[in-house]
Amino acid sequence: MPLIALAIACLMLVTFCYGGLCAASPFGTCRRCNGFGFATTTDRKGRPKRGKSCRRCKATGKRIRAGRWLYNRAQRIYREGTH
């Protein structure tokens, strides 16, 4: 029984920490372009150069976190349902 309680406590701690992270910093770096906003390629000599703009983040280098996206969606549904 104490093992289940410990697992539940750890899960709640992780959930609350992620919720705090989403509240404090709702945007994270884009995983596709690593926050650059564009893909990096190399020229024929092997030097890095700027590639195409990232379509996933629309060249901003930022993306909305999954938890914040869920929170925004829940708030929108609640607002539409009460008004």
Side-chain angles (χ1 to χ4, degrees), residues 6-22:
L6 181 64
I8 290 171
C10 288
L11 187 60
M12 287 179 58
L13 179 70
V14 168
T15 302
F16 287 132
C17 288
Y18 183 70
L21 178 68
C22 288

Side-chain angles (χ1 to χ4, degrees), residues 63-78:
R63 62 167 180 85
I64 193 160
R65 295 183 192 276
R68 186 61 184 212
W69 183 86
L70 288 171
Y71 175 77
N72 290 347
R73 179 67 59 133
Q75 286 294 97
R76 185 177 306 124
I77 290 171
Y78 176 76

